[in-house]
Amino acid sequence: MSREVTLRRPDDWHLHLRDGAMLRAVLPESARHFARAIIMPNLVPPVVTGAQAAAYRDRIRAALPDGMDFAPLMTLYLTEDTDPEDVAAAQVSGLVHAVKLYPAGATTNSASGVTDFDRVRPVLEKMAEIGLPLCVHGEVTDPEVDIFDREAVFIDRVLDPIRRATPGLRVVMEHITTRQGADYVRSAEADLAATITTHHLIINRNHILVGGIRPHYYCLPVAKREEHRLALRAAATSGDRRFFLGTDSAPHVDAAKETGCGCAGCFTATNTLSLLAHVFEEEEALDRLERFTSLNGPAFYGLPANEDTITLRRGDDPVRFPAKIDSDDGPVTVFDPGFEVYWTAP
Ligand code: DOR
Ligand code: ZN
């Protein structure tokens, strides 16, 4: 059965583009479909100041192939030394659209993140005053807390206290992976939203561990039990304005994934839209796909939705996506959903 769905051109509200050879390899995969993306600042060294964000934006623009049209929306990496006035100036100039909070040690390149949340209070207060969103990697790093509980515990121990202490602070819970995350977002009428990745709508923790360990399904926050995947599907396909797409497409070369201590990250930029059409069709929610990919995100970030459109088509034969893309640093494996997909994006 052929079928098509036309959407305002999507945006990706959480994307890792890296730098150098990897940036050149992965940028076209996102720019082919997405008009804009919130660019994660966890480079080595991290993108901490407005000046560093401007330089990184220029490197992204320079890496964009001719004829492609893509706007990087920059973020700053919050440290305990971040200067509130630098943050404010970076927003006023239109450069920076969010500040990213990584609890120190929570994930890839998060060593410069926050340990003592009281020390970032002046920055958070400034952000509340100027309406600049805080994007949060919501996992505690306490070694006593089981990795599958780290998101739920973060909400109680860290996020809710921060939000109560900082009225007006606009927060995006990034890549939620639990029912508790979705419920917490729904409990707030304003100033709180969540991104959901493509892969967390598709895999649960069994996919990572049953029948052999699958390093390309390992990401952080790690996929949880099936009940949580279903809760994420319900949230993403509901049309609720508080949920929108952030792919968290996070490339690592195969050598860094297929090793004794592999890096976290799923690379989904290449096939994300086809996979989302598949998921939304399964949930009989294709009419709500545009809200998730193209409308809810810009509304939260105070930006207009894109004017141009993209048409996804369902054919009769399975689509063959590349298994890997090449970079000068080595191959990167494209996320394999483990089922046939019939949807193509141009
Ligand atoms: O899986 C992940 N990969 N989660 C993160 O939070 C970071 C990301 C990366 O940078 O590779
Ligand atoms: Zn990420």
Side-chain angles (χ1 to χ4, degrees):
M1 181 191 59
S2 75
R3 202 167 173 187
E4 57 180 51
V5 53
T6 297
L7 314 168
R8 298 269 199 140
R9 197 163 158 217
D11 303 304
D12 185 346
W13 299 97
H14 181 129
L15 177 64
H16 297 269
L17 285 178
R18 316 300 191 203
D19 216 341
M22 187 61 88
L23 168 63
R24 286 193 297 280
V26 300
L27 178 58
E29 299 301 292
S30 287
R32 187 173 299 132
H33 298 141
F34 293 95
R36 300 170 289 198
I38 285 278
I39 308 301
M40 286 298 119
N42 63 332
L43 304 182
V44 189
V47 179
V48 174
T49 65
Q52 288 167 336
Y56 185 31
R57 176 201 56 197
D58 293 346
R59 296 199 296 282
I60 295 169
R61 286 181 176 162
L64 191 66
D66 287 344
M68 281 189 147
D69 158 34
F70 174 81
L73 308 176
M74 307 310 292
T75 62
L76 298 179
Y77 185 119
L78 182 62
T79 73
E80 293 179 8
D81 299 319
T82 294
D83 173 4
E85 295 312 320
D86 182 58
V87 171
Q91 184 207 31
V92 168
S93 70
L95 169 69
V96 155
H97 293 263
V99 170
K100 176 74 190 232
L101 165 63
Y102 288 104
T107 187
T108 311
N109 304 336
S110 62
S112 313
V114 178
T115 303
D116 179 353
F117 293 91
D118 287 336
R119 293 200 53 190
V120 296
R121 172 137 308 287
V123 184
L124 301 184
E125 278 165 8
K126 175 57 85 175
M127 289 170 61
E129 181 191 320
I130 64 180
L132 184 64
L134 180 72
C135 292
V136 176
H137 183 110
E139 289 189 287
V140 290
T141 53
D142 180 347
E144 305 273 297
V145 178
D146 189 276
I147 191 164
F148 292 101
D149 298 331
R150 287 181 175 197
E151 181 171 295
V153 172
F154 182 88
I155 294 168
D156 293 340
R157 275 198 204 165
V158 182
L159 184 55
D160 198 56
I162 286 179
R163 291 187 58 247
R164 285 178 194 279
T166 327
L169 180 65
R170 314 194 65 235
V171 173
V172 183
M173 286 181 74
E174 301 280 50
H175 42 53
I176 56 168
T177 57
T178 58
R179 181 172 45 74
Q180 290 91 333
D183 287 347
Y184 184 67
V185 168
R186 280 197 210 91
S187 74
E189 267 316 305
D191 297 332
L192 184 62
T195 56
I196 302 177
T197 77
T198 306
H199 48 283
H200 287 113
L201 297 173
I202 293 174
I203 58 167
N204 63 32
R205 64 193 200 178
N206 278 17
H207 292 89
I208 310 171
L209 296 170
V210 172
I213 192 159
R214 314 271 171 169
H216 297 290
Y217 288 156
Y218 172 62
C219 66
L220 288 171
V222 71
K224 310 293 192 299
R225 285 174 181 274
E226 177 66 357
E227 68 161 295
H228 297 290
R229 185 184 74 100
L230 296 178
L232 299 177
R233 278 199 172 212
T237 60
S238 66
D240 188 317
R241 63 186 160 74
R242 293 168 288 196
F243 300 104
F244 42 86
L245 174 63
T247 66
D248 198 15
S249 181
H252 294 276
V253 293
D254 284 352
K257 295 282 294 175
E258 299 169 3
T259 176
C261 182
C263 293
C266 297
F267 178 68
T268 57
T270 304
N271 52 3
T272 272
L273 287 181
S274 297
L275 299 180
L276 288 173
H278 179 103
V279 167
F280 276 65
E281 183 181 43
E282 267 183 358
E283 300 294 330
E284 297 180 10
L286 273 175
D287 58 329
R288 294 193 283 275
L289 179 57
E290 185 182 46
R291 295 193 218 174
F292 184 64
T293 60
S294 316
L295 301 179
N296 294 347
F300 184 87
Y301 276 93
L303 295 168
N306 298 306
E307 288 296 333
D308 48 341
T309 61
I310 184 170
T311 297
L312 311 179
R313 293 196 167 78
R314 187 193 203 285
D316 294 327
D317 299 316
V319 186
R320 298 276 157 243
F321 299 105
K324 297 177 193 290
I325 64 157
D326 284 323
S327 81
D328 287 348
D329 292 340
V332 177
T333 293
V334 174
F335 180 78
D336 174 3
F339 48 73
E340 304 276 38
V341 177
Y342 293 84
W343 288 88
T344 48

